């Protein structure tokens, strides 16, 4: 009897341990697994099912990456379809063009690439021969076109492999491997936007701010061909969508501010500035205050980055567009902003600034300096005086060329009592100390011209300069004498301590 009781007890404990292993504790969050009958599915079966689903999903993902899951089927040409079935055929072909081919491997997806290229060419031929009228492009087709364009061009750009983006042109331009498809999509979208039958009402409904935002972000593409296409696309969107104009200007301004103050690595600044230049050209007079703030807060800080040379020409066009609107109003703040961002050590950038300053003075249409405040004239003359004394002979020659130019000579003759006292010390110092013989020769020529125009003032400036030099030498001698006394006293104290 004792042996039988012991065997039953061992058997009971063994069954309980098996149940604990086979039926683990299930947390209360898994109430979704309870079926309508109130029974719970076996945990082991549920775990096996989830593993099977994950295995199937990973297999699908790997096949999709390798291009083996979905093979495109060539569809018949749209022009061969009957009129009543043409809309559905058009939608099927547009949806077929959503397919993304693998261009990282030139040997992958060859059949799908060719089928998609043929489909895009067929769409271009169809819309070339058939107008973009509302009977063909209704709201459903309009939505499918925008969806197809979004699926192809609105993508994440690959990271730039270049360590530093300084704007220097590479020996070999970077080309996007998928451009054979992208170009066809851009051509189709541009024809769609440029069509006379483009429906603005449907565009307001299906072209969102997010779409425009992502188009602007695509200007960071390394492929210059895509940036040129995007420039035309954004031009058309700005012209068609009146309600989006303020938003487009704001987003472009955000790109400029990030480039100027945070990360100067955006690749499409020149193209965006070209768009802004055409927008500024269309501003009505008087210029609104928001556009004035855009000039002062957004455009002028673009003079700050070190790689300004890659877009300086387009930036100068934008600045001159403002000057043509109202030179009296815009010339002083533009000049002061330019002087604020004037480079300290970069000679090539300094040459660009001098060229821009000369263009501004030439375009302001302020004959004899009328309209320029005295503080602006003084600031310009002082900056050019510093450039004349620069150790870079190119900077010195360029500054002297501006002083010898007709535009500055007009300002000089009408404000000679204001300008000449600032010019003379720099010219005299350069004539005595500059190392380049060409610069010294140009300085002597300018000094001779000044002496012929105002001999009396010239002699006064010479005497004043000599007095200043004598006073400076006296101060230096006094300082040197004081230091010698200090050294003598220090020497005596050290001898006593010794």
């Amino acid at each position: 009897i004792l042996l039988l009781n012991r065997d039953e007890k061992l058997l009971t404990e063994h069954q309980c341990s098996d149940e604990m292993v086979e039926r683990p504790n299930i947390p209360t969050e898994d109430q979704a697994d309870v079926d309508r009958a109130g029974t719970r599915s076996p945990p082991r079966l549920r775990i096996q099912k989830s593993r099977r689903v994950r295995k199937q999903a990973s297999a699908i993902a790997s096949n999709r990456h390798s291009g083996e899951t979905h093979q495109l089927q060539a569809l018949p040409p749209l022009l061969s379809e009957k009129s009543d079935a043409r809309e559905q055929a058009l939608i099927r072909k547009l949806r077929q063009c959503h397919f993304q081919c693998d261009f990282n491997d030139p040997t992958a997806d060859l059949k799908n690439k060719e089928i998609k290229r043929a489909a895009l060419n067929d769409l271009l031929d169809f819309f070339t021969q058939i107008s973009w009228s509302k009977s063909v492009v209704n709201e459903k087709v309009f939505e499918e076109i925008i969806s197809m364009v979004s699926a192809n061009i609105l993508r994440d750009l690959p990271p730039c492999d270049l360590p530093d983006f300084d704007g220097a042109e590479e020996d070999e331009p970077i080309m996007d491997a998928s451009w054979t498809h992208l170009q066809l999509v851009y051509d189709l979208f541009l024809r769609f936007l440029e069509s006379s039958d483009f429906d603005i009402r449907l565009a307001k409904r299906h072209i969102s701010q997010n779409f425009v935002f992502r188009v602007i972000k695509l200007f960071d593409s390394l492929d210059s061909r895509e940036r040129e296409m995007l420039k035309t696309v954004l031009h058309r969107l700005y012209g068609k969508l009146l309600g989006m104009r303020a938003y487009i200007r704001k987003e472009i301004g955000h790109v400029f501010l990030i480039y100027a103050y945070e990360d100067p690595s955006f690749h499409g600044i020149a193209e965006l500035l070209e768009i802004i230049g055409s927008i500024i050209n269309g501003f009505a007079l008087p210029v609104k205050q928001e556009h004035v703030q855009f000039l002062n807060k957004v455009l002028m800080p673009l003079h700050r980055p070190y790689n300004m040379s890659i877009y300086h020409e387009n930036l100068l066009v934008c600045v001159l567009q403002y000057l043509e609107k109202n030179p009296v109003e815009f010339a002083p703040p533009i000049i002061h902003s330019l002087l604020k961002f004037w480079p300290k050590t970069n000679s090539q950038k300094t040459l660009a600034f001098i060229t821009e300053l000369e263009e501004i003075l030439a375009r302001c249409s302020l004959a004899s300096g009328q309209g320029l405040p005295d503080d602006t004239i003084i600031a310009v003359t002082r900056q050019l005086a510093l450039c004349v004394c620069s150790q870079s002979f190119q900077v010195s020659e360029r500054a002297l060329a501006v002083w010898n130019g007709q535009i500055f000579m007009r300002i000089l003759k009408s404000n000679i009592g204001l300008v000449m006292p600032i010019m003379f010390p720099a010219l005299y110092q350069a004539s005595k100390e500059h190392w380049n013989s060409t610069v010294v020769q140009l300085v002597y020529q300018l000094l001779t011209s000044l002496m012929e125009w105002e001999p009396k003032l010239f002699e006064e400036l010479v005497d004043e300069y000599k007095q200043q030099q004598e006073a400076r030498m006296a101060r230096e001698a006094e300082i040197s004498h004081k230091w010698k006394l200090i050294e003598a006293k220090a020497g005596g104290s050290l001898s006593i301590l010794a």
Side-chain angles (χ1 to χ4, degrees):
I1 293 171
L2 292 174
L3 290 174
L4 289 174
N5 291 335
R6 186 187 65 179
D7 293 338
E8 289 178 357
K9 185 177 180 180
L10 291 174
L11 180 62
T12 303
E13 291 177 356
H14 180 68
Q15 289 177 353
C16 291
S17 62
D18 289 342
E19 289 178 0
M20 292 177 65
V21 171
E22 292 178 359
R23 298 187 64 184
N25 187 20
I26 301 174
T28 57
E29 287 81 6
D30 290 342
Q31 296 297 327
D33 290 334
V34 181
D35 57 10
R36 295 181 180 178
T39 60
R40 186 184 299 274
S41 60
R44 192 183 300 271
L45 179 62
R46 182 170 58 87
I47 295 173
Q48 292 176 355
K49 182 178 179 180
S50 62
R51 289 176 180 173
R52 186 166 59 249
V53 170
R54 288 199 299 268
K55 186 182 293 184
Q56 292 175 357
S58 62
I60 292 173
S62 61
N63 291 335
R64 181 179 301 169
H65 179 73
S66 61
E68 298 177 357
T69 299
H70 185 63
Q71 291 292 337
L72 296 179
Q73 300 296 327
L75 299 176
L78 293 173
L79 294 175
S80 65
E81 298 285 348
K82 296 181 180 180
S83 300
D84 54 350
R86 186 168 290 173
E87 179 182 344
Q88 295 300 323
L90 177 60
I91 292 175
R92 285 197 302 271
K93 185 149 292 191
L94 287 169
R95 291 178 178 176
Q96 186 183 54
C97 293
H98 283 67
F99 183 80
Q100 302 296 315
C101 301
D102 182 13
F103 283 92
N104 295 322
D105 184 3
T107 62
D109 283 350
L110 294 179
K111 183 178 179 181
N112 289 336
K113 291 175 184 177
E114 181 59 29
I115 292 175
K116 182 177 178 180
R117 187 189 64 80
L120 290 170
N121 280 320
D122 186 36
L123 288 170
L124 282 172
D125 295 338
F126 174 75
F127 285 113
T128 301
Q129 300 186 30
I130 305 296
S131 65
W132 299 82
S133 61
K134 295 181 180 180
S135 59
V136 177
V137 184
N138 53 27
E139 184 170 3
K140 191 173 183 181
V141 175
F142 193 104
E143 184 178 0
E144 291 293 338
I145 291 174
I146 299 299
S147 177
M148 187 273 294
V149 172
S150 301
N152 283 275
I153 69 173
L154 302 185
R155 66 203 189 280
D156 293 330
L157 296 173
C160 180
D161 296 331
L162 302 177
D164 286 321
F165 177 68
D166 57 357
E169 294 184 359
E170 298 295 321
D171 295 334
E172 295 182 0
I174 300 175
M175 303 296 182
D176 196 324
S178 61
W179 182 247
T180 53
H181 287 179
L182 288 176
Q183 184 179 13
L184 297 174
V185 176
Y186 278 116
D187 288 339
L188 179 65
F189 191 41
L190 282 176
R191 293 187 187 183
F192 178 53
L193 293 175
E194 294 171 354
S195 170
S196 58
D197 297 322
F198 185 79
D199 196 335
I200 304 297
R201 179 181 56 85
L202 295 178
K204 293 179 180 179
R205 189 178 304 171
H206 296 289
I207 299 180
S208 62
Q209 289 185 353
N210 183 57
F211 181 90
V212 176
F213 171 78
R214 297 183 67 184
V215 167
I216 294 174
K217 292 301 180 184
L218 284 175
F219 276 88
D220 198 21
S221 174
L222 296 174
D223 196 332
S224 59
R225 301 170 299 178
E226 182 172 12
R227 296 200 299 269
E228 288 295 322
M229 282 288 191
L230 286 167
K231 182 176 65 177
T232 309
V233 167
L234 195 58
H235 265 299
R236 300 297 177 264
L237 290 174
Y238 190 87
K240 296 284 186 178
L241 305 176
L242 301 181
M244 287 279 190
R245 290 186 174 182
Y247 179 77
I248 292 174
R249 293 195 302 269
K250 184 183 73 171
E251 291 302 327
I252 293 177
H254 287 167
V255 174
F256 289 164
L257 289 174
I258 292 173
Y259 189 90
Y261 290 106
E262 294 182 8
D263 183 17
S265 62
F266 196 85
H267 297 86
I269 296 295
E271 288 79 7
L272 290 175
L273 281 171
E274 190 172 344
I275 296 173
I276 290 296
S278 62
I279 292 174
I280 296 171
N281 190 31
F283 285 167
L285 293 176
V287 179
K288 295 180 180 179
Q289 187 61 31
E290 60 174 319
H291 303 326
V292 177
Q293 291 181 357
F294 188 86
L295 168 66
N296 297 327
K297 303 295 185 181
V298 178
L299 285 182
M300 296 309 296
L302 285 177
H303 292 86
R304 186 173 177 269
Y306 65 93
N307 52 2
M308 184 198 68
S309 59
I310 61 177
Y311 57 82
H312 180 249
E313 183 178 352
N314 295 332
L315 178 59
L316 179 57
V317 170
C318 294
V319 173
L320 296 180
Q321 290 283 354
Y322 273 99
L323 284 176
E324 291 179 359
K325 297 295 180 183
N326 192 344
V328 177
E329 177 185 358
F330 291 116
I334 287 176
I335 291 175
H336 284 287
S337 295
L338 189 66
L339 298 178
K340 174 184 176 182
F341 296 107
W342 200 276
K344 305 298 182 183
T345 58
N346 191 337
S347 59
Q348 296 300 320
K349 190 176 178 181
T350 304
L351 292 174
F353 271 60
I354 296 174
T355 302
E356 182 172 352
L357 181 60
E358 187 178 21
E359 288 285 343
I360 292 171
L361 295 175
R363 294 291 186 92
C364 19
S365 301
L366 303 172
S368 1
Q370 294 178 1
L372 277 178
D374 291 346
D375 59 338
T376 303
I377 297 175
I378 292 173
V380 170
T381 309
R382 284 177 177 172
Q383 189 62 60
L384 291 176
L386 293 175
C387 293
V388 169
C389 297
S390 173
Q391 292 301 310
S392 173
F393 75 96
Q394 293 178 334
V395 174
S396 299
E397 288 182 355
R398 193 70 185 87
L400 289 170
V402 174
W403 270 356
N404 282 315
Q406 296 180 357
I407 300 298
F408 195 82
M409 284 298 174
R410 292 176 185 174
I411 299 175
L412 174 62
K413 290 179 180 179
S414 61
N415 302 274
I416 194 164
L418 189 66
V419 175
M420 193 169 170
I422 303 173
M423 295 175 60
F424 181 81
L427 293 173
Y428 196 88
Q429 179 183 355
S431 67
K432 299 296 183 182
E433 300 178 2
H434 206 282
W435 62 272
N436 188 270
S437 58
T438 305
V439 172
V440 174
Q441 185 178 0
L442 292 173
V443 167
Y444 276 122
Q445 292 177 1
L446 187 54
L447 285 173
T448 304
S449 300
L450 294 176
M451 184 174 59
E452 292 175 355
W453 290 339
E454 290 290 336
K456 184 178 179 180
L457 179 60
F458 187 85
E459 292 179 1
E460 293 177 357
L461 292 174
V462 170
D463 295 338
E464 183 181 355
Y465 183 78
K466 289 182 178 180
Q467 293 176 3
Q468 290 177 356
Q469 292 299 315
E470 292 175 357
R472 182 177 63 84
M473 294 175 64
R475 286 196 305 271
E476 291 178 356
E478 183 180 358
I479 293 173
S480 177
H481 178 67
K482 289 181 178 180
W483 277 111
K484 288 181 180 179
L485 292 177
I486 293 173
E487 289 176 359
K489 290 181 180 181
S493 300
L494 291 174
S495 63
I496 293 173
L497 291 175

